[in-house]
Structures are given as C-alpha cells and as structure tokens.
Amino acid sequence: MRRRIFFAMTLLSALVLAVSAAAYCFVFYRQFSAAARDELGARAEMFRSLDSDAALSNISASALSDVRITVVESDGTVLYDNTAGSGLENHSGRAEIKDALSSGTGESARFSDTLGKMTYYHAVRTADGSVVRLSKTIDSVWGLFSGALPAVFGIACVVAAMSYAAAGFLTRRIVEPINTADLDGALTSPYDELAPFVRKIGEHRERIASQMLDLRNRSDTIEAIMENMKEGIMIVDGRGTVLSANRSASSIFSRGLEGSSILEITRDMALVRGVRGALAGERGEAAFEQGGRTYRVFFSPVTNLGAITLLLDVTENTRSERMRREFSANVSHELKTPITSIYGNAELLAGGMVKEGDREGFYGKIKEEAARMTALIDDIIMISRLDEGYGRDEFEDVSLMSGAKEAAEALSDTASEYGVSVAVLGDEAVVRANRAQIYELFCNLIDNAVKYNRRGGSVEVRITSQGDAAAVTVSDTGIGIPPDETERVFERFYRVDKSRSKKTGGTGLGLAIVKHIATVHDAHVTLASRVGEG
C-alpha cells in the first residue's frame, strides 16, 4: 500500500509539473504573440496619414530593424522592402494587402514549416491609396517551449526531488496510523474513510474469537475424553503414520506413537492388515496380544483423513471366559467322581453283591460321597451368589474378633483331629460387613490352615485395627505354597497338593470363596508363603 501511494503521488506530481509547464508556455506564448501583434499595429498606424513617398522617408529615417517593412502600390507592386530589396512578386494576392486596400487595415499570420516559426503581418492603407505592411517573425509555441526546455528541465528536476521527498513524507504520514493500529485492542479508525473497514474487521475478529473458543473447547473436550479413556485410540493417516494417540494407546505399546509408522509400532500382521484394510475403506476387527494382555481391535475408515483404531483390553473378559469354561469342566469332573462312587456302591447293594456284614461300609461310603457332593454344591451356590454381589444389602456392625472365635470354635474338632492348635489374637475391630460371609471367610481360612498343616503345628489368627479399617492375618506352620503357585490358589478348584486335597475332602473352592467375600467387602487378599514353612 505504501509503495502504491508513493508511486501515485510521484506520478501525480510529475504529471502536474508537465501540464503546468505546457500550460505556462502556451499562456506565455499567447501573451507574447498578442504583444507582438499590438506592437505591429501601433507602428503601422503611424503610416496611415502619410502618402507612399512620406512613408518611405519616415522608414529611411527611423531605421526600423526589428521588423520587416514593405510598401506596396494599390495594384500590388512592391515599391520597397527593407529585408528583401526590390524584385519581389506582386503582393496583391496577400490577405493582409487585400484587407488593407478594401477596409484600410489588414492582419494575418503565417507559419513556416521550414523554419518552424510564426510571422505576423499588419498592413494599413496610406493617404494616396498605397499599403504599408509591417511583419515580425517569432518562434512558434514549440520553438518557444524547446528554447525554454533546459530551464524547464532544471526546474522539473528540482520540483521532482522536492515531490519525491514530499511524497515519501506524506506517504509515511498517511500509512503510519494504519500500520500502528492496534488490532488486538479496542479498534479505532485512523481515518473516517476506513471506519466501515475497521468495523468489519472488529466483527470478523469477534466471530473468529468465538469460533476459536468453540474449537478450543471442543478440542479440550475431545482431548480430555481421549486421555481419560481406558481404551486405546490411534488416528492414522493415509500413509499409515500415527497422527494422534491417547495415553492408553501409548501405554499399550510402551512408547510414544505420534509420527511413527504402524510398522514401527508393531509387527503383528493382524493389526497391520486391519489398519491397511481401514485405509482402503473397509471396517474390521482383530484380536491382538501385547505385554501379556489381550486386546480386541476395531478398525474404522475416516473420509479424507485415514483410519481410527480402537483397542479394547479384553484380558479380564477372556480370563473370565476361560475360567467359566474351566469351572464348568471342573464342576462336571468334581461332581462326576462322587456320583460315580455313589452309583457304583448303590448298584452293588441293589444287586445283592455285598455281604451283609460289609453293607454298613458301603452305606458309609455313599453317605461320605453324598456329603462331599452336598458341600461342593453349597460352595458352588455360594460362589455364584458372591459373583452377583450377594450380601451387600445385609451389612451391619460385625466384630471380627467374635467372627474369628466362632469359626475357630466350630473347627475345634477338626483341629484336634489334625493335631493343630488354633489361637485368635488381637483387637475387637468392629466393621460394617455381612456377618454370615465374615463367618464363612474365617471358616475357610482356618480350615485351610488346619488341614494343610503338619501334626503338632499351629494356626494364629491376628486381628488389628487400622483407623476405620482392619487387617486380618492368618498364619500357619503348614506345608507352604511354591512361589509360582501363590497367585493360582485363589482360582476355583485349584489345588496345590491334589493328593492331600482328596484326603482332606476339600472342594477346591475355599480360597476362591475367600477372595469373593473380600471383593464384596471392598477388601483385598494377599498371600506370602514358603514351602515347608507355612
């Protein structure tokens, strides 16, 4: 803008200068030529009252050298010419001569193309009917202008320099308020002509600020949602490069993902093929394992962007599904054994194949297996109810010390049978809990500690208050658990010593029930053990 204003002002100055110079030349030329004609008329009038002889005498006496004087008879014959002498052609056809002979005065002007000059003529008729003509030659307007050209050029240079400086100064004065306008603060127009423009800028600025705030809020919302999702999300462009990824996705691959190619992130072909399919416009899903966890991956194409990959951690679902399958198989197996035993014994008894003296033993075996099956079914029902959160609506103030002592008392005969002593120590520790489930928890813990102990061993139940919470520690001097099996003992039907479990009549669900009861009470269970130490 500054350059355009500067050039416009400079060009205007040059144009004004050129037009002014030409106008001055034309005006000066008109005044100069008018003065020349007036002078010729005044000089010619001096000869009007004279005859031709007197006119010639006056001409010789005055010695007029700056004008051309010609005396012409009434028939056009040239009597005298002070520049050309005699022998000139007849002048009767000259316009000024004709006018002078007819009206007494004649004027004309003729331009010489050869000389580039203008000649003015003024003729008067004398007393005897002859004509005295005076003429004067001056430069034409172009000649006058070319003669003054050096001076005009010098003046033009001076004026151009002044115009250049003035144009620069004025341009800065005009543009400076616009350049220094504060577009971030309150908008004010430096010129009245710019007020509508400034108003439009203000309206657009407010609209843009509102849109930017809306975009920022949306971006923050999307970012907050993505960053707080447990599911991993990756946005991939058309070349397979990750444009954006949330924190969960980065933690899945244990690295930053943005800017990396999908092939740099993983070599799992199911994942790579899924991304390529989404980039080709196809939706899909695949299973994917990373870091010991299982993920379900969904691929969706995004028009003009690339693809979105959603990674769902289905490890727990997969594990639960596996546990359900194993549970079904284990239940079938665990129930099949006592049922087979009962059926076999009953069949022998019904077929009369058992001696009368041995029947009592067969009846006892049937009763033992039935009791075992009943206990197994009770535990399965308990597990199922705990899976559904049973007992949360029956919480009350329960003394852990009382619950532990009741369970120890109920298992005193079992402890005596195994030759194990049980001691309950510590604080009263009253908590909000389901009384029946707390009793079941202590029974299972103490029963396990007794049956997997050694003869002459001991079991200690210690209860400690910890502010509004409490801790229960059950320790024994039993056979212990290998380190690689400490996590699995809480699985359903899992037994460390399978031969001993059958001997003790355990269902393999005791510690699974303990863990479920702890979950219902928002507690957690930990295990520390060494083989041979308990």
Side-chain angles (χ1 to χ4, degrees):
M1 181 178 177
R2 174 179 292 182
R3 183 177 298 176
R4 293 182 64 180
I5 293 175
F6 175 75
F7 282 138
M9 295 183 69
T10 303
L11 181 62
L12 179 63
S13 300
L15 184 62
V16 169
L17 177 62
V19 172
S20 298
Y24 285 141
C25 285
F26 277 107
V27 171
F28 178 72
Y29 178 77
R30 287 177 63 84
Q31 292 178 345
F32 180 70
S33 61
R37 288 195 299 270
D38 292 342
E39 183 185 1
L40 284 178
R43 287 185 176 184
E45 289 298 323
M46 296 189 319
F47 299 97
R48 183 181 294 280
S49 59
L50 304 176
D51 57 17
S52 56
D53 292 335
L56 290 171
S57 298
N58 261 345
I59 291 169
S60 299
S62 61
L64 297 172
S65 59
D66 58 335
V67 296
R68 179 184 178 184
I69 302 175
T70 305
V71 180
V72 182
E73 291 184 354
S74 58
D75 60 357
T77 303
V78 177
L79 295 177
Y80 175 78
D81 190 293
N82 65 342
T83 58
S86 59
L88 295 174
E89 74 275 10
N90 191 288
H91 278 33
S92 60
R94 306 294 173 88
E96 67 277 6
I97 300 298
K98 287 181 180 181
D99 291 342
L101 289 174
S102 61
S103 62
T105 302
E107 287 185 339
S108 68
R110 288 189 284 279
F111 179 73
S112 173
D113 292 329
T114 304
L115 299 176
K117 295 186 177 183
M118 182 68 75
T119 302
Y120 293 100
Y121 297 92
H122 193 95
V124 295
R125 187 177 62 199
T126 61
D128 59 358
S130 60
V131 175
V132 176
R133 185 187 70 179
L134 278 71
S135 65
K136 188 171 184 179
T137 300
I138 63 175
D139 291 332
S140 67
V141 63
W142 305 113
L144 181 66
F145 184 76
S146 62
L149 190 60
V152 172
F153 181 75
I155 294 172
C157 289
V158 173
V159 173
M162 295 175 64
S163 298
Y164 183 86
F169 174 73
L170 292 175
T171 299
R172 286 192 297 273
R173 287 287 301 273
I174 292 172
V175 175
E176 189 66 24
I178 300 175
N179 289 338
T180 56
D182 184 11
L183 297 179
D184 295 325
L187 288 176
T188 56
S189 174
Y191 303 108
D192 294 339
E193 293 79 2
L194 293 178
F197 179 67
V198 171
R199 186 167 54 253
K200 284 291 183 184
I201 290 179
E203 293 173 359
H204 283 294
R205 189 178 70 177
E206 292 178 0
R207 189 177 301 113
I208 291 171
S210 176
Q211 292 173 348
M212 289 298 294
L213 180 61
D214 186 43
L215 287 174
R216 190 178 300 110
N217 290 338
R218 290 186 182 183
S219 176
D220 291 344
T221 301
I222 293 172
E223 184 177 355
I225 292 173
M226 287 184 62
E227 289 303 315
N228 288 283
M229 287 178 63
K230 291 192 295 185
E231 296 79 6
I233 294 180
M234 292 191 302
I235 301 176
V236 184
D237 66 10
R239 295 176 299 176
T241 302
V242 177
L243 297 176
S244 178
N246 66 351
R247 187 185 300 118
S248 297
S250 298
S251 65
I252 289 172
F253 294 98
S254 303
R255 54 166 292 177
L257 302 180
E258 294 182 4
S260 300
S261 169
I262 192 68
L263 290 174
E264 296 177 42
I265 296 170
T266 180
R267 294 293 179 179
D268 187 281
M269 291 312 298
L271 189 59
V272 174
R273 280 195 298 270
V275 171
R276 288 175 177 172
L279 294 177
E282 300 176 359
R283 294 178 179 272
E285 59 180 273
F288 168 67
E289 292 189 2
Q290 178 76 14
R293 302 193 70 81
T294 304
Y295 299 91
R296 195 70 184 169
V297 189
F298 297 88
F299 309 96
S300 298
V302 180
T303 305
N304 300 325
L305 179 60
I308 290 181
T309 302
L310 177 66
L311 298 98
L312 301 180
D313 189 344
V314 294
T315 305
E316 297 303 325
N317 292 341
T318 303
R319 185 178 297 164
S320 298
E321 183 64 28
R322 177 177 57 80
M323 289 178 66
R324 278 194 294 272
R325 289 196 302 269
E326 292 178 355
F327 181 69
S328 299
N330 288 330
V331 166
S332 300
H333 177 73
E334 292 292 335
L335 288 174
K336 185 177 180 181
T337 302
I339 288 175
T340 301
S341 178
I342 292 172
Y343 179 79
N345 287 308
E347 188 176 28
L348 291 173
L349 289 170
M353 300 174 66
V354 180
K355 294 179 181 180
E356 188 66 33
D358 296 333
R359 288 192 175 194
E360 188 174 347
F362 278 85
Y363 290 139
K365 187 67 174 177
I366 291 173
K367 180 180 177 183
E368 180 183 338
E369 293 296 343
R372 180 183 171 195
M373 190 166 61
T374 301
L376 180 61
I377 292 172
D378 289 341
D379 284 351
I380 291 172
I381 293 173
M382 174 68 76
I383 286 282
S384 298
R385 297 176 72 183
L386 290 172
D387 278 338
E388 296 173 1
Y390 167 76
R392 287 183 181 272
D393 55 348
E394 298 179 7
F395 278 22
E396 58 182 302
D397 290 339
V398 176
S399 168
L400 295 181
M401 177 63 74
S402 298
K405 286 183 176 179
E406 288 178 18
E409 181 65 26
L411 293 168
S412 60
D413 290 343
T414 304
S416 298
E417 181 184 345
Y418 282 85
V420 176
S421 62
V422 179
V424 179
L425 308 171
D427 305 325
E428 193 69 23
V430 177
V431 296
R432 296 290 295 176
N434 182 293
R435 185 180 300 276
Q437 291 181 5
I438 292 298
Y439 174 78
E440 185 71 24
L441 179 140
F442 280 119
C443 282
N444 278 286
L445 288 174
I446 296 172
D447 186 64
N448 250 29
V450 168
K451 290 180 178 178
Y452 290 91
N453 214 316
R454 64 172 179 271
R455 185 163 292 279
S458 63
V459 175
E460 179 182 283
V461 180
R462 183 171 293 277
I463 300 168
T464 55
S465 297
Q466 298 180 350
D468 294 334
V472 175
T473 304
V474 179
S475 56
D476 62 55
T477 58
I479 61 175
I481 301 171
D484 56 340
E485 298 191 67
T486 54
E487 290 296 323
R488 300 203 62 189
V489 295
F490 293 100
E491 295 179 10
R492 301 168 187 184
F493 298 113
Y494 186 81
R495 299 179 177 89
V496 178
D497 188 345
K498 297 177 177 56
S499 61
R500 184 157 184 166
S501 295
K502 290 187 179 292
K503 188 184 298 182
T504 59
T507 64
L509 294 175
L511 290 182
I513 291 173
V514 168
K515 187 171 184 180
H516 277 69
I517 292 174
T519 302
V520 169
H521 289 78
D522 297 324
H524 62 275
V525 182
T526 59
L527 171 65
S529 179
R530 289 185 182 180
V531 176
E533 295 183 10

